[in-house]
Amino acid sequence: MSDTAADLRAPALPKPRGVLSEAVIGRLTEGTPPPAATVAAGADPYGDDLQLALYLCYELHYRGFSGVDPDLEWDPALLGVRRALEDRFLTVLRRDATRHGTVDEAVAGLLVEPVQGTSISHHLWHEGELWQLRELAAQRSLYHLKEADPHAWVLPRLWGRAKAGMAAVEFDEYGGGRADRIHARLYAALMEDLGLDTAYGRYVDSAPAPMLATVNVMSLFGLHRALRGCLVGHFASVEITSSPASRRMAGAMRRTGAGPAAEFFYDEHVEADAVHEQVVRREVIAGLLDEEPSLEADVAFGIDATVHLDERLERHVLAAWREGRTSLRGGSPAGRSDDGA
């Protein structure tokens, strides 16, 4: 692939949301100094500015940005500010999210389905409207258009049963060797059914800080070998809770007439993730802790942090919807770029 073709696959830089993200964008485009570590240390760890700045730093390790030199992925100045942003975020996460001391306790919490569910998927299943499904799909595209990629960082840091189990689940996420079944491609088809633009990174400017945080935590855990246990915990949380939530989402897609591809994406996850849950618990977690029992607290924290950030996102989204307003920044998502929306 030529450099020009590769650049076309990279998204445009989003708009800054404060001094941190503005300084990071300046570094990427003009080579100006990045924000000082002291600024990062005093920023709101869950706020728009810090989360966008962190997202910008992480995306350099994925597709990068159009017009940004790919060598900046390893720019020492940017890596330094990324570390300061991560320290701020991780410190507060450990304070706010830690709930369980053991993996068994943390996993047990994931296995309980509330009688009166209050999650986003419960709302959409029972009473959600098509515009709300579009909003959620636009937000979640920040992860689902690169589904499995953040978790793949942990593979070189595992061995034995944990590595084999993780690789087996990731193989399914990547379509079992079939390009048309890669889950990121299936999600793009879902977005097409909903009239959304499927370009990677298209909805970053629309995504609120709680959504950015749920995406950033995967890269935070995945890019640090020292946090491999946390990444396994995150992965477990996603896979264990996915099947019942996907069943509700599939029902919401059918009830609102979202379209066959939108239904299929969640139908696929109902079946696949029910199997993945068993592999993750019996092979990935158990295999990791057999080899490295000292990582149990990290695995539990990875689960707790995932639940904590998901709950923050749910509160943000549902509060907006109950008031009849959008949960996105800047209003409802635009449609596909080729339909004039």
Side-chain angles (χ1 to χ4, degrees), residues 198-261:
T198 63
Y200 182 92
R202 168 67 175 79
Y203 295 107
V204 175
D205 279 325
S206 299
M211 185 68 235
L212 292 177
T214 67
V215 176
N216 284 338
V217 76
M218 287 182 269
S219 297
L220 169 62
F221 292 161
L223 286 168
H224 291 270
R225 188 177 68 84
L227 298 177
R228 62 194 179 280
C230 302
L231 192 282
V232 166
H234 183 284
F235 189 65
S237 180
V238 170
E239 295 299 332
I240 290 171
T241 60
S242 176
S243 186
S246 292
R247 184 176 291 106
R248 291 189 289 269
M249 290 298 296
M253 294 295 176
R254 289 190 179 88
R255 184 176 56 76
T256 57

Side-chain angles (χ1 to χ4, degrees), residues 178-340:
R178 292 178 53 186
D180 63 320
R181 295 299 295 268
I182 293 174
H183 284 188
R185 180 65 195 92
L186 298 181
Y187 195 79
L190 172 150
M191 295 178 73
E192 289 172 349
D193 268 1
L194 292 172
L196 296 169
D197 193 327
T198 63
Y200 182 92
R202 168 67 175 79
Y203 295 107
V204 175
D205 279 325
S206 299
M211 185 68 235
L212 292 177
T214 67
V215 176
N216 284 338
V217 76
M218 287 182 269
S219 297
L220 169 62
F221 292 161
L223 286 168
H224 291 270
R225 188 177 68 84
L227 298 177
R228 62 194 179 280
C230 302
L231 192 282
V232 166
H234 183 284
F235 189 65
S237 180
V238 170
E239 295 299 332
I240 290 171
T241 60
S242 176
S243 186
S246 292
R247 184 176 291 106
R248 291 189 289 269
M249 290 298 296
M253 294 295 176
R254 289 190 179 88
R255 184 176 56 76
T256 57
E263 295 174 18
F264 181 77
F265 176 82
Y266 286 108
D267 284 337
E268 172 76 4
H269 281 71
V270 171
E271 182 176 350
D273 291 345
V275 176
H276 292 172
E277 174 200 336
Q278 298 301 314
V279 176
V280 170
R281 292 172 62 191
R282 296 175 182 176
E283 302 300 323
V284 182
I285 294 178
L288 175 66
L289 296 183
D290 281 349
E291 295 280 356
E292 299 185 273
S294 63
L295 294 181
E296 178 164 13
D298 280 354
V299 176
F301 170 67
I303 294 172
D304 288 345
T306 306
V307 172
H308 173 71
L309 292 174
D310 284 347
E311 289 175 348
R312 286 183 59 85
L313 176 62
E314 288 181 347
R315 288 195 296 270
H316 169 86
V317 170
L318 292 175
W321 290 352
R322 290 188 188 105
E323 295 176 6
R325 57 181 175 83
T326 179
S327 64
L328 301 177
R329 291 171 54 88
S332 298
R336 292 185 294 269
S337 58
D338 62 352
D339 66 4

Side-chain angles (χ1 to χ4, degrees), residues 35-226:
T38 53
V39 178
D44 177 359
Y46 299 118
D48 278 296
D49 192 27
L50 183 142
Q51 290 299 328
L52 180 60
L54 199 50
Y55 179 88
L56 291 164
C57 292
Y58 286 147
E59 281 302 305
L60 298 175
H61 300 293
Y62 296 101
R63 295 197 192 183
F65 296 98
S66 179
V68 172
D69 185 347
D71 283 343
L72 286 170
E73 177 182 4
W74 300 110
D75 176 53
L78 278 174
L79 292 175
V81 74
R82 193 191 91 186
R83 183 56 182 263
L85 296 167
E86 289 175 331
D87 285 348
R88 177 68 172 141
F89 185 32
L90 185 58
T91 297
V92 173
L93 266 185
R94 290 194 183 279
R95 181 196 71 193
D96 295 347
T98 302
R99 304 176 186 180
H100 301 100
T102 70
V103 169
D104 285 346
E105 292 171 351
V107 169
L110 299 178
L111 295 173
V112 176
E113 275 286 295
V115 177
Q116 298 293 331
T118 58
S119 69
I120 291 175
S121 64
H122 281 95
H123 167 83
L124 291 173
W125 183 34
H126 291 300
E127 57 184 301
E129 300 178 34
L130 193 58
W131 68 270
Q132 295 171 336
L133 288 169
R134 292 184 80 241
E135 278 199 8
L136 188 65
Q139 291 193 54
R140 286 186 170 173
S141 69
L142 271 65
Y143 165 62
H144 281 302
L145 290 181
K146 62 181 176 197
E147 186 169 347
D149 290 352
H151 295 127
W153 294 114
V154 82
L155 280 168
R157 286 114 187 224
L158 303 176
W159 53 88
R161 288 168 56 204
K163 182 190 283 284
M166 190 82 185
V169 176
E170 289 283 271
F171 183 65
D172 283 352
E173 301 287 352
Y174 289 125
R178 292 178 53 186
D180 63 320
R181 295 299 295 268
I182 293 174
H183 284 188
R185 180 65 195 92
L186 298 181
Y187 195 79
L190 172 150
M191 295 178 73
E192 289 172 349
D193 268 1
L194 292 172
L196 296 169
D197 193 327
T198 63
Y200 182 92
R202 168 67 175 79
Y203 295 107
V204 175
D205 279 325
S206 299
M211 185 68 235
L212 292 177
T214 67
V215 176
N216 284 338
V217 76
M218 287 182 269
S219 297
L220 169 62
F221 292 161
L223 286 168
H224 291 270
R225 188 177 68 84

Side-chain angles (χ1 to χ4, degrees), residues 26-46:
R27 181 70 178 178
L28 296 176
T29 57
E30 305 293 336
T32 52
T38 53
V39 178
D44 177 359
Y46 299 118

